[in-house]
């Protein structure tokens, strides 16, 4: 997908970055040595074939002065730090980071090289999987997300932006909402609801956030496209850039709208049902997601209305629930 935040590079530039990262290593001597990975919505990414036969992935952050949402500041640093953290648990199949450079000496934005994962992107193959295999995969995803959520932190919020942190989850989450609404106002984003109406809906249910007293690691962006499957099991999970310390109920799988099975995920996760307060928090986190998706369209200038359409549908359904209950 096209996005103005993608900092694309030429073959010559990438070859220089490869040589710097891998001690003079050259690209493989064929035209397909560099293949752009276009599924992402934010960073530029490439599958790279090295001259010694290795296959790696290069991910390049937006330019340092790129116009991004408040929570997106320094998120490549967050991604690398989070991947290195969760790699401590072998049950989380995260690719190895080979090289990370934020010096801006070889590239005008931070970048890293990581292991290329085997298998197929789940977004591409889910519909072709047998129902029993889909159930097994969703249960495995539940188990992986549960392992990620076992890491605890010392504050709530985002590592990359100290202004979006706090000691209380309720106060921090309200800060996240306010920062998003401010991002929307900067771009004159018009939604189906007024900003005051949205904030009032959050405050109406904010007491449910008081139950969250420990900051746990939340991947938050673990959609089908960020999982890889091989031999009926998940062999890789990527894109930890939007990770934060918060409530595990923020995870994408608790609000599926891409064909995933919530019951199979929850079975693998080890959760049976939601309490009334948890259901309120689920709706608040769906609202947060809808706002992110709706507002980011004005920052990235996508070449499709796909994201905007999903965001508006989710925003409408969530606001209806929050206002009625």
């Amino acid at each position: 997908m096209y996005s103005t935040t993608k900092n694309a590079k030429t073959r010559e530039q990438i070859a220089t970055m490869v040589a710097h990262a891998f001690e003079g290593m050259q690209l493989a001597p064929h035209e397909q040595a560099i293949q752009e990975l276009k599924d992402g919505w934010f960073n530029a990414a490439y599958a790279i074939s090295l001259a010694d036969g290795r296959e790696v992935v290069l991910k390049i952050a937006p330019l340092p002065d790129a116009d991004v949402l408040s929570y997106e500041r320094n998120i490549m640093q967050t991604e690398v730090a989070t991947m290195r953290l969760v790699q401590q648990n072998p049950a989380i199949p995260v690719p190895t980071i080979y090289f990370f450079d934020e010096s801006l000496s070889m590239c005008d934005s931070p970048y890293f090289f990581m292991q290329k994962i085997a298998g197929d992107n789940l977004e591409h193959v889910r519909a072709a999987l047998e129902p029993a295999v889909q159930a097994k995969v969703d249960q495995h995803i539940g188990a992986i997300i549960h392992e990620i959520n076992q890491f605890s932190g010392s504050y709530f919020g985002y590592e990359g932006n100290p202004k979006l942190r706090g000691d209380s989850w309720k106060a921090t989450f309200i800060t996240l909402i306010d920062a998003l609404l401010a991002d929307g106002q900067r771009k004159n984003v018009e939604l189906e609801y007024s900003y005051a109406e949205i904030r009032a809906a959050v405050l109406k249910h904010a007491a449910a956030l008081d139950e969250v007293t420990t900051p746990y690691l939340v991947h938050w962006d673990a959609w089908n496209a960020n999982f890889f499957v091989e031999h009926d099991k998940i062999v890789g999970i990527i894109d930890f850039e939007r990770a934060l310390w918060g409530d595990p109920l923020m995870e994408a799988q608790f609000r599926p709208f891409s064909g995933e099975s919530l019951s199979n995920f929850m079975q693998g996760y080890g959760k049976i049902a939601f309490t009334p307060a948890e259901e309120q928090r689920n709706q608040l986190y769906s609202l947060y997601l809808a706002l992110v998706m709706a507002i980011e369209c004005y920052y990235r200038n996508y070449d499709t209305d796909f994201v905007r359409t999903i965001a508006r549908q989710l925003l409408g359904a969530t606001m209806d629930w929050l206002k009625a209950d």
Side-chain angles (χ1 to χ4, degrees):
M1 182 186 294
Y2 169 81
S3 170
T4 53
T5 58
K6 289 188 177 183
N7 186 11
K9 296 301 173 191
T10 66
R11 184 184 181 96
E12 181 180 1
Q13 289 171 317
I14 292 174
T16 301
M17 295 160 69
V18 165
H20 179 65
F22 297 99
E23 300 180 342
M25 179 62 60
Q26 296 182 348
L27 295 171
H30 54 74
E31 288 297 319
Q32 300 302 312
I34 299 174
Q35 298 184 59
E36 184 179 2
L37 302 174
K38 299 182 179 181
D39 286 344
W41 298 1
F42 186 69
N43 299 290
Y46 301 89
I48 309 291
S49 299
L50 303 181
D52 63 1
R54 282 181 291 173
E55 301 285 333
V56 300
V57 170
L58 167 63
K59 196 166 184 179
I60 305 171
L63 291 167
D65 62 352
D67 195 10
V68 298
L69 298 174
S70 299
Y71 87 96
E72 292 177 322
R73 294 171 187 165
N74 303 313
I75 65 172
M76 179 163 282
Q77 289 85 342
T78 296
E79 179 172 23
V80 171
T82 306
M83 290 174 69
R84 287 172 170 166
L85 173 65
V86 301
Q87 199 167 38
Q88 298 174 21
N89 184 343
I92 303 171
V94 60
T96 300
I97 301 286
Y98 293 134
F99 185 84
F100 173 47
D101 183 5
E102 54 182 327
S103 69
L104 307 186
S105 60
M106 302 299 300
C107 179
D108 52 6
S109 62
Y111 66 94
F112 68 85
F113 289 93
M114 69 177 178
Q115 173 189 4
K116 184 179 179 182
I117 303 172
D120 296 311
N121 184 302
L122 184 57
E123 178 71 12
H124 298 163
V125 303
R126 173 180 282 279
L129 299 177
E130 295 293 332
V133 175
Q134 288 192 27
K136 184 177 179 180
V137 165
D138 286 329
Q139 290 165 12
H140 191 194
I141 288 174
I144 291 170
I145 295 299
H146 183 267
E147 293 298 324
I148 292 172
N149 296 156
Q150 298 312 296
F151 289 90
S152 59
S154 58
Y155 58 82
F156 290 101
Y158 288 97
E159 177 175 331
N161 189 343
K163 294 181 180 180
L164 302 182
R165 297 182 194 168
D167 298 325
S168 153
W169 178 232
K170 180 168 74 175
T172 302
F173 184 76
I174 292 171
T175 296
L176 300 186
I177 291 289
D178 287 343
L180 258 182
L181 296 178
D183 289 334
Q185 289 174 322
R186 286 200 295 124
K187 293 289 188 181
N188 298 313
V189 177
E190 294 185 3
L191 303 169
E192 285 77 3
Y193 305 87
S194 72
Y195 287 26
E197 191 176 6
I198 291 170
R199 195 173 193 277
V202 172
L203 295 179
K204 176 183 176 183
H205 296 274
L209 300 167
D210 282 327
E211 287 189 353
V212 183
T213 57
T214 302
Y216 288 109
L217 182 63
V218 179
H219 184 295
W220 194 69
D221 199 26
W223 304 102
N224 285 338
N226 290 333
F227 287 101
F228 291 80
V229 62
E230 185 177 48
H231 303 309
D232 299 349
K233 73 173 188 176
I234 299 297
V235 294
I237 176 173
I238 60 171
D239 280 9
F240 284 79
E241 61 201 348
R242 298 170 199 285
L244 73 156
W245 299 101
D247 181 357
L249 287 182
M250 289 188 79
E251 295 289 10
Q253 282 72 27
F254 288 115
R255 50 203 47 80
F257 52 82
S258 299
E260 309 94 322
S261 166
L262 181 59
S263 61
N264 287 323
F265 165 78
M266 290 182 67
Q267 181 179 344
Y269 190 90
K271 189 169 182 60
I272 299 173
F274 300 117
T275 66
E278 287 176 334
E279 184 55 42
Q280 289 183 76
R281 301 207 303 273
N282 273 335
Q283 296 294 333
L284 289 174
Y285 304 149
S286 293
L287 174 65
Y288 181 69
L289 173 63
L291 290 173
V292 166
M293 294 178 69
I295 294 170
E296 73 181 20
C297 293
Y298 291 79
Y299 284 77
R300 303 186 193 173
N301 299 309
Y302 296 133
D303 56 357
T304 172
D305 286 331
F306 168 74
V307 180
R308 192 191 311 269
T309 299
I310 293 178
R312 298 301 171 109
Q313 291 172 348
L314 183 59
L315 179 61
T318 303
M319 282 295 293
D320 286 348
W321 193 99
L322 291 171
K323 292 172 69 175
D325 287 80

